[in-house]
Amino acid sequence: MEIDWGLFAELFGRTFTFWWVILPAILLGLIVGAIPGFSAANTIIILLPLTLAMEPEIGLIFMVALYASSRMGAGIPAILVNIPGTAGAAATPLDGYPMTKQGRAQQALAISFVSSVFGGLLTTILALLAMPWLSQVAYHLHSVEMIVIMLFGISLIATIAAKDTLKGLIAGFFGLMIGYIGADVVYETPRGTFGFLELYDKVPLIPALVGLFAVSEAFAVIEGESILTKRGMEAMQKAGWAETWEGVRLAVSRWWHIIWTSIIGLVIGVVPGAGAAIASFVAYQQSKTFSKTPEKYGTGHLDGLVAPESANNGVTSGTLIPLLVIGVPGGATAAIMAVVLQYHGVTVGPDLFDSQPELAYGAFTAMAVTYAIMILTVLPLARYMSRITVVSTTYMAPIIISFTLVGAFVPRAYVFDMYLALAFGVIGYVARKTGYHVAAILIGVILGPLLENYFLRALRISQGDVMVIFSSNLGDVMWVMLIVSLFVPMYLDRRRKRQAEQAVPTTTDC
Amino acid sequence: MSDFENDFSRRLFLKGASATAGAGALSMLPIQAAFAAAFPEQNIQIFVPTRAGGGADRNMRAFTSVWKNYLKTNFEAGFYPGAAGRVGYETYMGKAKADCYNLIFGNMGPEVLNWVVKKPTFDLNRFLYIAQVDQDPGIVFVSKKNKKLKNIDDIVKEGKKRTLNVGVSRLAHPASLGVVALGRHTGAKFNLVPLSGGRNTRAGVATGEMDFGALPSGSVVRKQKQFDIVAVFDKENPLPNRMKKAVVVNDHFGMKLPPLYAGARAFGIKREAIEKHPDRYKVLTDTLQKVYTDPAYKKAVKKTKAPWKYIRYGSPADCEKYVKYITDIGAEYKSLLTGKS
Amino acid sequence: MSDENGPDTGKPAKKAAGAELVLPVAGLIFTIYYFTTIIDVPWTAQVSAFFVGTILIGLIIALIIRTVIQVRRGEASLSLAPLIAPRDYVPKRLALLGLTLSYVFFIEWGGFTITTFLFLLCSMLLLSGGKKKGLILTISLILSVGGYFLFIVVFNTRFPKGPVETMLHGVF
């Protein structure tokens, strides 16, 4: 596939003239991204009458802008109030929220925006440049390889569990067990559903997400006047524009980190069906593995915020590749975009580059332009958004409960899901109060069923031979990488501790 | 969008309101035509046991966009996917009033097959399909990139040498049964791999993890650039122009499989509603039959890109016959579908 | 105040290991229940859950043994204190839980707008101890009406509809 750069440049300029479509789409995307339960995919479905009425080019620009900005929107509540807007932002609060509590919400938002935008912009360009090669990824990452990728994400449980390994692992494995509720993918046998039909299709993610993070948080924070620490409150009172710039400076100083973690997102995004949640967990895990200061992760560490935010925006660009190159969408949003274009008589697939190059390249230019416009329009808002953290918990807790329960309802429109979110809220509350990590439970709930699906698929393909998991060369290389990335940090950690012991008394890690 | 908004509870409330219309506070509610004698006097609710935005959604929208002109009322759709449709049938349609204002838009193929495999908690006879809307045969397809398997004979030949992996949406699916029957007849070894939905199945075939796939034709026929449809489980090739390489399995292999419609969408109603309101039921069936011949409907279907040829009216008797047939074939292959002997 | 995703229990002299056992015991009961649902099913439905569940049970047993040893040594107690600490907040927290449950229960009948308004109003009044009534009333009103426009008018979500939604249906 030859890339027509002239056309690309022309389109780039042309896309800017559609700022009047992009701006409202960005605004809408930020809102729907920030409310748990809403996503770019279901917003496009809701707005189908509108998108179907648009010209295909404008419709595409609108959808792409909405998609990219919703990804960024999901990080905002994750940082400010510990509520990831979508599963793709589930790793964001790990370090984003501690920053908020320290009164550095504005900085954290700026870091998230810059990482998202540069991660997104870079991967959009990379996606275009490397399309012929990247499109091959989907041909090589099959069930077996995906099992290993899932394990990379799940191994984050062990990393998070560093403080009390036994309790951390219990939380993670409990999450995995909860994730196995529902019918198995082969014979569709319902398991552990307590007789609820609503649980046959596995535990729905949004109720689990808002329950574990938000509802439990709301019940916990009422003990204090604000979600901020005392020092955090003082810092917030003093915060001015300088905080935003400091955030930008810090993020830019981590440019290399943004690059490689967003590429993780890009590559995972290319695999049909993988998604942003797995990408952000893997990026966080890898970031910590190769960090010189892994003990600081979870306490408001810059890299711990940069990694998931860059990665989940990398996924956004990645999902367009299988859609355009092999005609198979990488995720739900891309699939719905294809439906809308189909309605206009545009068949999305490899021929689009020849038949309607303005649409094929247009998808990427729209994304690039959205990111460019987004950094200019959203960054100044960080200061105002961050003010939400000084609101008293008297108001905050009920608002969080009510709006996240609404979010739990939205994806499937079952009132059952609101009860489910409440049940997860109780689990999350008990976990917080007794020293179990809710993120470890959530990783299990999200990745457990995915791992099982790939595992059962691999077993089905091999007709029951478990050794199938070592049957591919690429997979075997990935197994080695997994083992290395699990044990190297342990070795480094031990060495560091030994060195530290020689200098000062032992410090506790996070 | 307003036609399709789901305000089922609002209507329930309205009904309550009309019963207590004397209450002053409620008299300000816009009880549109609450006292009109003719049916329908309010919107009709349609329960769709699949996801919004999918094939059933497009199909139902096209049909109701015309039907509403004959019925002189609006339709409100509620999408209740989950547990292979059981949530829609059991939890929502099951609780709805038997008053001819509540219909289900189901699929007599995979959904009914599902009841065979997992006995539902409700009595199947409580529902009656009153009009089939379309039928979409199951097909076998390969990726154009596949160098070895170009047609159905290649597949059977290769299947006799080694076990081929077949991507299917789910095991309990008419298209999947077609492949199993073909394997039994020819002696080729096919290993069905359920990939949860059409999109994943196409991805599995496109990326080469699966040797070939079997799905409803509608889900593949629009992707002619990526896939070749090589066989069809029907009496004839319904789209010879768009499925040029497709052979009719029965003719080609001398088999006697009845048609395996992977998609057989139909409106359904509670039998109790028909018994209680035969007059309303007559209005429903009389008006819906007019839709099929209305040029506006053809236009609406064309807009969804679904083949017009698949639109087919089926009477309640036709539907019952098809349900029985699917039930029988499901029972025959039950052990294969459940993993239990 | 809770820590970001982890605990934040004021540490008494003895570790309150009783509270730490609540989640594992729940996990143990759930795992055993789960196992009972997969006894007679095809192996594909069993393999992952038996693998993970067995490890989970092993981990939980290890924790119980650890706790027993700590209690014997006098390092820990079987107190449930962290779960309810600080005690002053127990009534408020239980009342908030009750309000939340009622919210979900009544939303099916009352519809989104009015139920949300009442929930916000009551729970904020509960948390403020009855102070700032005017402000709370205003916030509840703005948010429930704003929520109505955002969720029901703009996004057309399929929220249960009550009297408010029905009344305004013709208007928006």
Side-chain angles (χ1 to χ4, degrees), chain B residues 216-273:
Chain B
S217 74
S219 149
V220 187
V221 79
R222 285 176 288 179
K223 312 270 174 192
Q224 294 191 30
K225 301 274 159 61
Q226 291 107 281
F227 304 111
D228 278 327
I229 295 177
V230 295
V232 55
F233 299 107
D234 200 347
K235 289 185 282 249
E236 54 175 15
N237 182 344
L239 300 171
N241 292 330
R242 294 173 73 180
M243 309 197 295
K244 288 192 179 116
K245 281 189 165 181
V247 299
V248 176
V249 171
N250 275 358
D251 299 348
H252 197 77
F253 294 101
M255 293 168 70
K256 283 192 186 129
L257 269 179
L260 284 163
Y261 297 125
R265 299 199 178 93
F267 285 100
I269 197 169
K270 281 187 176 168
R271 277 181 201 268
E272 192 192 342

Side-chain angles (χ1 to χ4, degrees), chain A residues 49 138-139 142-143 185-188 197 200-201 326-329 331 335 339 342-343 351 414 457 460-461 463, chain B residues 81-83 87 92 118 145 163 165 170-171 191-192 195-196 199 203 206-207 209 225-226 303 305 337-339:
Chain A
Y139 291 101
H142 289 161
S143 313
V185 71
V186 178
Y187 294 113
E188 301 177 36
L197 274 179
Y200 273 37
D201 300 318
I326 54 175
V328 173
V339 170
Q342 189 102 52
Y343 179 86
D351 299 324
Y414 298 164
R457 190 180 298 173
R460 182 86 187 171
I461 291 170
Q463 294 167 63
Chain B
V87 175
Y92 288 86
K118 300 216 167 43
K145 288 219 162 97
T163 305
N165 287 316
R170 35 208 296 254
L171 292 182
N191 177 34
L192 299 189
L195 298 173
S196 318
R199 175 151 62 94
T207 59
E209 186 164 26
K225 301 274 159 61
Q226 291 107 281
K303 222 158 179 202
K305 304 280 167 208
L337 300 176
T338 55

Side-chain angles (χ1 to χ4, degrees), chain B residues 98-316:
Chain B
D99 57 1
C100 287
Y101 281 105
N102 294 295
L103 303 177
I104 193 149
F105 187 66
N107 190 337
M108 299 186 294
E111 280 159 27
V112 171
L113 198 52
N114 187 47
W115 309 139
V116 182
V117 180
K118 300 216 167 43
K119 224 173 150 11
T121 51
F122 63 93
D123 180 5
L124 263 176
N125 289 321
R126 278 180 68 199
F127 295 99
L128 176 73
Y129 290 105
I130 57 171
Q132 184 175 346
V133 171
D134 71 348
Q135 60 184 35
D136 182 354
I139 49 97
V140 173
F141 69 103
V142 291
S143 164
K144 276 201 191 294
K145 288 219 162 97
N146 193 324
K147 297 216 168 67
K148 261 191 162 168
L149 308 175
K150 291 284 176 200
N151 55 47
I152 193 74
D153 293 323
D154 291 348
I155 289 176
V156 170
K157 208 170 125 197
E158 186 73 13
K160 285 177 181 168
K161 285 189 226 154
R162 65 178 176 104
T163 305
L164 297 183
N165 287 316
V166 192
V168 293
S169 173
R170 35 208 296 254
L171 292 182
H173 196 288
S176 312
L177 291 187
V179 173
V180 175
L182 179 65
R184 282 193 186 173
H185 182 80
T186 59
K189 288 189 289 281
F190 299 138
N191 177 34
L192 299 189
V193 184
L195 298 173
S196 318
R199 175 151 62 94
N200 290 340
T201 308
R202 291 195 302 270
V205 175
T207 59
E209 186 164 26
M210 299 296 135
D211 293 301
F212 68 97
L215 281 176
S217 74
S219 149
V220 187
V221 79
R222 285 176 288 179
K223 312 270 174 192
Q224 294 191 30
K225 301 274 159 61
Q226 291 107 281
F227 304 111
D228 278 327
I229 295 177
V230 295
V232 55
F233 299 107
D234 200 347
K235 289 185 282 249
E236 54 175 15
N237 182 344
L239 300 171
N241 292 330
R242 294 173 73 180
M243 309 197 295
K244 288 192 179 116
K245 281 189 165 181
V247 299
V248 176
V249 171
N250 275 358
D251 299 348
H252 197 77
F253 294 101
M255 293 168 70
K256 283 192 186 129
L257 269 179
L260 284 163
Y261 297 125
R265 299 199 178 93
F267 285 100
I269 197 169
K270 281 187 176 168
R271 277 181 201 268
E272 192 192 342
I274 304 175
E275 287 153 15
K276 268 166 58 183
H277 304 281
D279 49 328
R280 294 180 181 178
Y281 175 61
K282 190 170 178 323
V283 174
L284 285 177
T285 47
D286 286 353
T287 49
L288 75 81
Q289 285 180 38
K290 291 181 185 154
V291 176
Y292 295 87
T293 49
D294 191 324
Y297 179 46
K298 190 168 183 179
K299 221 170 136 191
V301 170
K302 289 240 152 125
K303 222 158 179 202
T304 66
K305 304 280 167 208
W308 172 248
K309 242 191 143 176
Y310 287 174
I311 300 297
R312 191 162 311 183
Y313 170 69
S315 68

Side-chain angles (χ1 to χ4, degrees), chain A residues 333-362:
Chain A
T333 314
I336 287 152
M337 287 186 196
V339 170
V340 173
L341 291 174
Q342 189 102 52
Y343 179 86
H344 288 292
V346 179
T347 305
V348 184
D351 299 324
L352 199 60
F353 285 93
D354 297 323
S355 61
Q356 280 170 294
E358 71 282 0
L359 283 180
Y361 292 113

Side-chain angles (χ1 to χ4, degrees), chain A residues 250-296:
Chain A
L250 284 172
V252 172
S253 75
R254 305 301 297 149
W255 60 273
W256 176 240
H257 210 72
I258 296 179
I259 291 176
W260 72 262
T261 50
S262 65
I263 292 174
I264 291 182
L266 177 67
V267 173
I268 292 178
V270 173
V271 183
I278 173 74
S280 49
F281 285 133
V282 171
Y284 187 91
Q285 191 264 350
Q286 286 298 299
S287 167
K288 188 170 177 180
T289 302
F290 292 104
S291 171
K292 288 195 180 98
T293 49
E295 72 283 356
K296 288 190 180 154

